[in-house]
């Protein structure tokens, strides 16, 4: 066996993942069975009053909670734990126990002594304070004998010198809370303190490493609501007011964060009320005076945002918050001179009546336009590549519009967009080449229209357009074809009734275009199905689908079915989001085996995404939620999972049993997936940890006294990470390739580590786990 490596310094952390070795493991895995399942893509939604702190031990920023209501509204609480890893936010959906309070914008710190992220919450207006700790896997709640009484709008900071969490400020129904509370790792105590700052909400509180004290700036007076710009410091015994020559303008809801490298407290943003005038200025406190910093770029103005210092990158980070008319979900970094946005929008804004189509040449889905929550037309272009959305910024683009149609022209290798509604119906033709939009200038073109539909007939190399509505002719029943240069009107012997909001897709298995539903007047929706052969339309006289229009519809070449999803059943009513498949002669309802299901919606897109081998739906609207920004994936493959434990891998029976837990999910293409080795709560020495991976497992494993070792295959891999101190973890990065052949593939993992109580010269084994790779 390889000699044991030297132990790194306290706080160091290594994550290993050797792709050339993992490739050998992954190539041996085979796909599994199929099932039909909806999965909702998670992305960090807009929120305010969220808690955020940097986990020094694990090298991850941790975020919890938040509120989706604005101003003084505390509705829409989010009980969510997120981590910042590899340049993006990842929701820890595997967390089963979480704090019950969501208003945590100033209650979260990194406690150096405890080596844990700590969060102070008040579950209700009558409850005492709860203290929660996060150590990488679960939220745990210590049980101190003494706890502070309820308050809101308070602030916390960690005193590095005295190693105490300090809380001050806020108010309850009776008025201001003026007492200081400190948590020493075991219990809360309230030092006498004496006279100090006047009672206020949402002050800024931070550790000042230059002065070795906690400093306070600003806040909003509990009585009268006046924003303040006075400054105080707390030394653990008493408050002292300090009066620097220069101070920021009065504010509350700002962030104050200690930068240990530059030895500055950095202040950003805030507002003069709730939110009133909102700021985006940056100030620095050097222990003597405040200086306003001028930067080339700056985050948008905000208040009630989250802030922390990322010592792994030597950057200050801020995220989320509230501005004058809405909420935010962006993340920015500050290096002492420049602000840089590190998370551009990762999902299109909520919308309906947009268009989306898959580009097989470039392996991506393109979305364009639609109508947003303000009912305004949009002209933004987005790209979906299996797992994420990316905003594109082409040099030219069609005018903002909605109710347009878009399809991929396989014969010419570009996307074709036609018509839609801007301020009037349009009849322009636009081509997308993967980089830019170009307007075509055909000699002939269909009349201006919107709410029409298009599909590409691959058997004839023609794009087919039918119907829609115009302001001059009303509902239309004309058929047009695009040959890459010009539009030609076709006069079939039979055609569907004039209609709008219908859906069309090409059935490659039967070489025909299929049209479903739509509305034939302002209130009546249909459930008829027509097929187009290139010369005429034929009514199929069959439907198991209820009346609807404005549906999502596309062809799945793997299962050789057209799928139909959601839609409107009336002018203001929405059809259930059942899924239907067209077999070539009839519609059949598809059974979905898991919950949740997407709720009812219309004006939605449904696109076959060959890169991810799934159907993808975005957006839409309904009567309850209005415009939607949700991305849903319909998969027919195996669920990604980490099963723990697997027999006979029960670790070392009767001793300290360590576990292996999955970080995120082993979803195809997920570069963030990792296996975390988590020791027992019993103190263990600093120890190297060996990760053992294998495709095959012996029937009974290999016994080592009270321990069982599972991995016996010659292809076993030894990869090394480090266990540091009690409560810490070692992490093995295992980026999962985006390979369809891996769907359903499994491998097993176990860790070998040191634990002196075991009889094997201190060697012990963790429980074993089985990792199943899938696409949801």
């Amino acid at each position: 066996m390889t000699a044991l490596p030297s132990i790194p310094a306290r706080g160091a952390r290594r994550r290993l993942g050797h792709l050339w070795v993992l490739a050998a493991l992954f190539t041996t895995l085979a796909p599994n069975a199929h099932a039909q399942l909806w999965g909702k893509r998670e992305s960090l939604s807009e929120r305010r009053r969220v808690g955020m702190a940097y986990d020094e031990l694990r090298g991850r920023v941790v975020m919890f909670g938040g509120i989706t209501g604005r101003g003084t509204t505390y509705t829409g609480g989010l009980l969510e734990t997120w981590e910042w890893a590899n340049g993006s936010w990842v929701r820890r959906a595997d967390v089963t126990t979480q704090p019950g309070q969501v208003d945590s914008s100033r209650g979260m710190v990194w406690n150096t002594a405890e080596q844990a992220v700590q969060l102070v919450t008040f579950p209700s207006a009558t409850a005492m304070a709860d203290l929660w700790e996060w150590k990488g896997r679960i939220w745990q709640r210590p049980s101190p004998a003494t706890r502070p009484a309820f308050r809101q709008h308070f602030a916390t900071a960690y005193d590095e010198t005295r190693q105490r969490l300090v809380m001050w400020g806020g108010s309850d129904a009776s008025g201001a809370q003026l007492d200081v509370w400190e948590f020493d790792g075991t219990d809360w105590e309230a030092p006498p303190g004496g006279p100090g700052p006047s009672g206020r909400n949402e002050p800024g509180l931070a550790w000042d490493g230059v002065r070795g004290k906690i400093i306070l700036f600003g806040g909003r007076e509990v009585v009268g609501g006046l924003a303040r710009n006075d400054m105080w410091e707390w030394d653990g015994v008493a408050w002292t007011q300090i009066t620097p020559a220069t101070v920021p303008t009065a504010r509350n809801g700002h962030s104050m964060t200690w930068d240990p490298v530059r030895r500055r407290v950095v202040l950003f943003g805030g507002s003069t009320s709730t939110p009133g005038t909102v700021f985006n200025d940056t100030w620095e406190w050097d222990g003597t005076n405040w200086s306003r910093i001028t930067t080339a770029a700056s985050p948008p103005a905000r208040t009630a945002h989250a802030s922390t210092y990322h010592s792994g990158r030597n950057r200050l980070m801020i995220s989320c918050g509230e501005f004058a008319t809405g909420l935010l979900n962006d993340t920015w970094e500050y290096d002492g001179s420049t602000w840089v946005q590190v998370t551009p929008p990762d999902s299109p804004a909520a919308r309906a009546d947009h268009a989306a189509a898959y580009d097989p040449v470039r392996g991506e889905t393109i979305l364009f336009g639609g109508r947003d929550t303000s009912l305004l037309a949009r002209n933004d272009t987005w790209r979906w590549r299996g797992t994420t959305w990316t905003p594109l910024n082409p040099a030219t683009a069609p005018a903002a519009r909605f109710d347009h149609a878009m399809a991929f022209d396989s014969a010419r290798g570009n996307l074709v967009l036609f018509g839609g509604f801007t301020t009037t119906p349009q009849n322009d033709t636009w081509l997308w080449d993967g980089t830019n939009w170009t307007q075509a200038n055909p000699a002939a073109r269909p009349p201006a229209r919107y709410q029409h539909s298009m599909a590409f007939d691959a058997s004839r190399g023609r794009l087919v357009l039918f119907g829609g509505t115009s302001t001059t002719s009303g509902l239309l029943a004309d058929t047009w074809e695009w040959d890459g240069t010009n539009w030609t009107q076709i006069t079939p012997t039979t055609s569907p009734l004039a209609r709008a909001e219908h859906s069309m897709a090409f059935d490659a298995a039967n070489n025909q275009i299929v049209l479903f539903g739509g509305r034939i007047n302002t209130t009546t929706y249909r459930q008829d199905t027509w097929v187009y052969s290139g010369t005429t339309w034929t009514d199929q006289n069959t439907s198991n689908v209820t009346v609807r229009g404005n549906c999502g519809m596309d062809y799945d070449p793997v299962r050789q079915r057209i799928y139909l999803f959601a839609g409107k059943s009336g002018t203001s009513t929405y059809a259930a989001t059942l899924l239907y498949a067209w077999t070539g002669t009839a519609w059949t309802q598809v059974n979905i085996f898991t919950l949740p299901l997407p709720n009812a919606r219309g004006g939605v897109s449904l696109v076959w995404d060959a890169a991810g081998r799934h159907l993808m739906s975005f957006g839409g609207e309904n009567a309850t939620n209005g415009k939607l920004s949700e991305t849903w994936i319909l998969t027919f493959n195996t669920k990604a999972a980490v099963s723990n434990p697997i027999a006979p891998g029960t670790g070392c029976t009767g001793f300290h049993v360590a576990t292996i837990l999955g970080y995120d999910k082993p979803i195809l293409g997920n570069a963030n997936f990792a296996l975390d080795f988590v020791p027992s709560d019993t103190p263990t020495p600093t120890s190297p940890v060996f990760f053992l991976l294998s495709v095959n497992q012996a029937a009974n494993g290999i016994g080592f006294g009270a321990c069982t070792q599972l991995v016996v295959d010659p292809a076993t891999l030894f990869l090394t990470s480090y266990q540091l101190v009690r409560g810490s973890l070692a992490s093995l990065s295992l980026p999962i390739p985006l390979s369809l052949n891996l769907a359903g593939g499994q491998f097993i993992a176990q860790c070998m580590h040191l634990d002196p109580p075991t009889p094997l010269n201190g060697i012990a084994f963790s429980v074993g786990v089985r990792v199943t790779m899938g696409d949801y």
Side-chain angles (χ1 to χ4, degrees):
M1 181 179 291
T2 305
L4 298 183
S6 60
I7 303 303
R10 176 183 174 93
R13 186 173 190 270
R14 178 182 289 184
R15 294 184 60 186
L16 299 181
H18 303 293
L19 295 179
W20 62 273
V21 178
L22 297 177
L25 174 70
F26 291 146
T27 54
T28 65
L29 302 176
N32 208 333
H34 300 298
Q36 296 84 25
L37 304 141
W38 278 112
K40 184 179 178 182
R41 176 182 178 266
E42 293 282 2
S43 59
L44 184 66
S45 58
E46 297 168 343
R47 62 192 69 193
R48 67 186 177 98
R49 301 194 65 78
V50 62
M52 192 164 80
Y54 181 68
D55 184 331
E56 297 279 356
L57 188 61
R58 296 163 194 87
R60 298 168 183 172
V61 174
V62 182
M63 176 184 287
F64 179 79
I67 294 170
T68 59
R70 294 188 56 237
T72 58
T73 302
Y74 285 83
T75 58
L78 301 170
L79 299 178
E80 300 174 353
T81 301
W82 293 75
E83 288 188 333
W84 174 264
N86 298 325
S88 64
W89 288 107
V90 177
R91 184 178 176 186
R92 292 294 301 269
D94 55 338
V95 179
T96 56
T97 301
Q98 299 189 103
Q101 171 64 295
V102 296
D103 178 15
S104 52
S105 61
R106 295 295 182 268
M108 197 159 163
V109 302
W110 168 253
N111 188 315
T112 304
E114 296 298 313
Q115 293 286 280
V117 171
Q118 293 185 325
L119 171 66
V120 181
T121 72
F122 292 89
S124 70
T126 59
M128 308 292 281
D130 274 345
L131 180 68
W132 293 82
E133 292 186 344
W134 172 259
K135 292 188 176 181
R137 179 60 183 175
I138 61 174
W139 285 99
Q140 295 175 301
R141 183 167 55 180
S143 300
T146 305
R147 295 190 293 166
F150 170 80
R151 65 203 64 203
Q152 60 183 349
H153 307 310
F154 58 92
T156 62
Y158 184 71
D159 187 325
E160 294 282 355
T161 300
R162 301 169 54 246
Q163 295 191 336
R164 294 183 175 226
L165 185 156
V166 179
M167 179 178 73
W168 184 85
S171 60
D172 64 9
S174 64
Q177 298 288 333
L178 300 175
D179 46 346
V180 177
W181 283 87
E182 296 186 342
F183 183 74
D184 63 4
T186 302
D187 204 1
W188 286 99
E189 64 177 7
S198 58
R200 62 193 71 184
N201 292 318
E202 297 186 289
L205 205 66
W207 162 249
D208 178 354
V210 174
R211 302 174 71 89
K213 299 174 183 178
I214 297 292
I215 61 169
L216 179 149
F217 177 83
R220 186 179 70 254
E221 292 279 2
V222 173
V223 179
L226 179 67
R228 300 294 302 264
N229 68 339
D230 52 342
M231 190 169 178
W232 297 74
E233 65 181 18
W234 170 258
D235 61 5
V237 177
W239 285 105
T240 302
Q241 186 169 6
I242 50 180
T243 55
T246 303
V247 292
T249 51
R251 65 192 67 201
N252 58 270
H254 47 291
S255 61
M256 285 175 32
T257 310
W258 169 245
D259 180 338
V261 175
R262 300 175 51 252
R263 299 188 64 76
R264 299 284 192 276
V265 172
V266 181
L267 180 153
F268 180 81
S271 66
T272 56
S273 61
T274 56
T277 301
V278 188
F279 303 108
N280 71 334
D281 48 350
T282 304
W283 292 78
E284 291 186 353
W285 168 257
D286 62 6
T288 304
N289 208 3
W290 288 99
S291 300
R292 182 168 182 176
I293 308 301
T294 301
T295 58
S298 179
R302 68 192 64 205
T303 185
H305 51 284
S307 174
T308 192
Y309 187 80
H310 191 313
S311 59
R313 291 179 47 78
N314 292 332
R315 301 285 193 276
L316 183 146
M317 290 178 62
I318 66 168
S319 188
C320 300
E322 180 177 9
F323 63 103
T325 59
L327 302 177
L328 298 158
N329 66 342
D330 53 349
T331 302
W332 293 72
E333 286 186 343
Y334 175 68
D335 63 3
S337 60
T338 304
W339 284 101
V340 176
Q341 186 176 3
V342 292
T343 55
D346 69 346
S347 181
R351 69 189 68 198
D353 305 323
H354 50 285
Y358 184 71
D359 179 343
V361 173
R362 299 160 191 91
E364 58 194 28
T365 295
I366 297 297
L367 180 149
F368 180 83
R371 182 162 43 179
D372 63 19
T373 55
S374 300
L375 302 182
L376 297 177
R378 301 185 65 98
N379 74 332
D380 47 344
T381 305
W382 289 78
R383 176 178 65 204
W384 169 266
R385 284 185 173 170
T387 58
T388 57
W389 287 104
T390 303
L392 304 178
N393 297 291
T396 58
R401 65 191 65 203
F402 57 91
D403 284 330
H404 46 292
M406 194 162 74
F408 186 77
D409 182 343
S410 296
R412 266 68 58 177
N414 53 37
L415 283 167
V416 181
L417 181 153
F418 180 83
F421 196 94
T422 56
T423 55
T424 58
Q426 301 295 304
N427 70 337
D428 47 350
T429 304
W430 289 82
L431 309 177
W432 172 259
D433 62 5
T435 303
N436 207 8
W437 288 101
T438 303
Q439 186 171 2
N441 293 293
R445 68 186 70 182
R449 68 191 63 204
Y450 60 103
Q451 296 179 337
H452 51 291
S453 192
M454 298 194 312
F456 182 74
D457 185 334
S459 64
R460 299 186 307 111
R462 295 289 189 273
L463 190 149
V464 179
L465 178 153
F466 180 82
T469 186
S470 72
T471 54
T472 56
S473 304
L475 295 175
L476 302 167
D478 50 347
T479 302
W480 292 77
E481 292 186 351
W482 169 256
D483 63 6
T485 303
N486 213 357
W487 287 99
T488 302
Q489 185 170 6
I490 309 299
T491 55
T493 55
T494 305
S495 290
L497 292 172
R499 67 189 64 204
E501 298 183 57
H502 50 290
S503 302
M504 285 169 49
F506 179 67
D507 180 356
N510 298 287
N511 287 327
Q512 56 192 9
I513 285 176
V514 178
L515 179 153
F516 174 82
R519 61 176 178 86
I520 58 171
N521 55 45
T522 56
T523 59
T524 305
Y525 284 79
R526 300 276 293 185
Q527 61 184 139
D528 50 344
T529 302
W530 293 74
V531 297
Y532 178 69
S533 63
T535 57
T536 191
W537 288 95
T538 303
D539 187 351
Q540 295 299 97
N541 295 313
T542 178
S543 181
N544 294 323
V545 185
T546 56
V547 295
R548 67 187 66 198
N550 224 354
C551 309
M553 192 164 112
D554 206 1
Y555 181 74
D556 174 351
V558 175
R559 276 152 288 277
Q560 298 184 335
R561 297 284 189 272
I562 289 175
Y563 286 93
L564 178 72
F565 170 67
K568 296 177 66 175
S569 55
T571 54
S572 58
T573 58
Y574 297 86
T577 49
L578 301 175
L579 187 72
Y580 295 90
W582 175 254
T583 64
T585 57
W587 291 101
T588 61
Q589 185 177 333
V590 179
N591 293 320
I592 304 297
F593 298 125
T594 62
L595 297 175
L597 299 176
N599 54 7
R601 64 195 63 197
V604 64
S605 59
L606 185 71
V607 179
W608 168 252
D609 176 13
R613 202 171 64 171
H614 53 224
L615 286 160
M616 183 271 293
S617 176
F618 176 80
E621 64 180 339
N622 60 36
T624 303
N625 307 102
K627 301 297 188 296
L628 303 167
S629 61
E630 301 173 348
T631 301
W632 287 82
I633 302 300
L634 179 71
T635 176
F636 294 80
N637 290 328
T638 307
K639 182 177 181 179
V642 178
S643 59
N644 183 17
I646 54 174
T650 54
C652 298
T653 306
F655 295 90
H656 309 143
V657 180
T659 59
I660 297 178
L661 300 171
Y663 171 71
D664 211 352
K665 289 184 178 181
I667 295 172
L668 302 184
N670 184 7
N672 295 324
F673 178 68
L675 290 176
D676 288 346
F677 169 81
V678 183
S680 65
D681 287 337
T682 303
T684 55
T686 302
S687 165
V689 174
F690 292 90
F691 284 84
L692 291 75
L693 309 180
S694 178
V695 175
N696 299 320
Q697 171 191 341
N700 298 309
I702 299 176
F704 289 88
C707 305
T708 303
Q709 194 263 329
L710 293 173
V711 182
V712 295
D713 189 272
T716 291
L717 309 177
F718 290 81
L719 298 102
T720 306
S721 185
Y722 289 99
Q723 169 61 26
L724 300 176
V725 293
R726 176 177 180 266
S728 65
L729 55 80
S731 185
L732 174 68
S733 178
L734 289 172
I736 307 297
L738 183 58
S739 170
L740 301 181
N741 293 328
L742 293 178
Q746 296 181 338
F747 62 92
I748 59 174
Q750 194 173 22
C751 282
M752 183 175 69
H753 60 104
L754 297 184
D755 196 1
T758 65
L760 306 173
N761 295 318
I763 295 177
F765 289 92
S766 72
V767 297
V769 297
R770 178 175 286 109
V771 179
T772 303
M773 293 175 288
D775 62 354
Y776 74 97

